[in-house]
């Protein structure tokens, strides 16, 4: 299945302990312009819950959450 979005920015915070990935994501989100897409890569297990909830609470769309071994990949768009 072809993704219907293009990644504008990528944030690779693998190796950072919680809550750093969530904090870094929250700092990056306000910089997105309408329609832009942020890819977040991290390997913090709690991020599977915190990052999507934080993004949705701030009005962003979580387009995708993927897990590959310990690595989590979030795709978040500013509507």
């Amino acid at each position: 299945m072809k993704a219907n979005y293009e990644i504008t920015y990528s944030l690779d915070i693998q190796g950072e302990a919680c809550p750093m990935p969530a904090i870094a994501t929250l700092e990056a989100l306000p910089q997105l312009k309408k329609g832009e897409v942020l890819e977040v890569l991290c390997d913090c297990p709690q991020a599977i819950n915190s990052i999507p909830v934080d993004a949705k609470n701030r009005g962003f769309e979580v387009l995708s959450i993927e897990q590959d071994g310990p690595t989590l990949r979030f795709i978040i768009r500013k509507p």
Side-chain angles (χ1 to χ4, degrees), residues 1-7 63-64 66 73 77:
M1 187 179 107
K2 176 84 175 81
N4 62 345
Y5 55 80
E6 196 172 312
I7 292 168
L63 302 179
S64 170
E66 298 165 21
R73 181 175 184 248
R77 176 167 56 198

Side-chain angles (χ1 to χ4, degrees), residues 51-73:
I51 289 178
V53 168
D54 289 344
K56 286 177 186 166
N57 285 346
R58 284 160 179 79
F60 290 82
E61 289 178 84
V62 179
L63 302 179
S64 170
I65 301 170
E66 298 165 21
Q67 185 160 9
D68 181 13
T71 303
L72 297 165
R73 181 175 184 248

Side-chain angles (χ1 to χ4, degrees), residues 1-60:
M1 187 179 107
K2 176 84 175 81
N4 62 345
Y5 55 80
E6 196 172 312
I7 292 168
T8 315
Y9 302 105
S10 188
L11 186 61
D12 186 345
I13 33 188
Q14 295 180 80
E16 292 287 340
C18 287
M20 267 321 293
I23 292 168
T25 301
L26 289 179
E27 288 174 351
L29 289 176
Q31 297 167 44
L32 295 180
K33 295 177 182 67
K34 184 176 171 64
E36 288 186 334
V37 175
L38 174 67
E39 170 190 54
V40 180
L41 298 169
C42 71
D43 51 12
C44 157
Q46 289 97 325
I48 191 104
N49 297 316
S50 60
I51 289 178
V53 168
D54 289 344
K56 286 177 186 166
N57 285 346
R58 284 160 179 79
F60 290 82

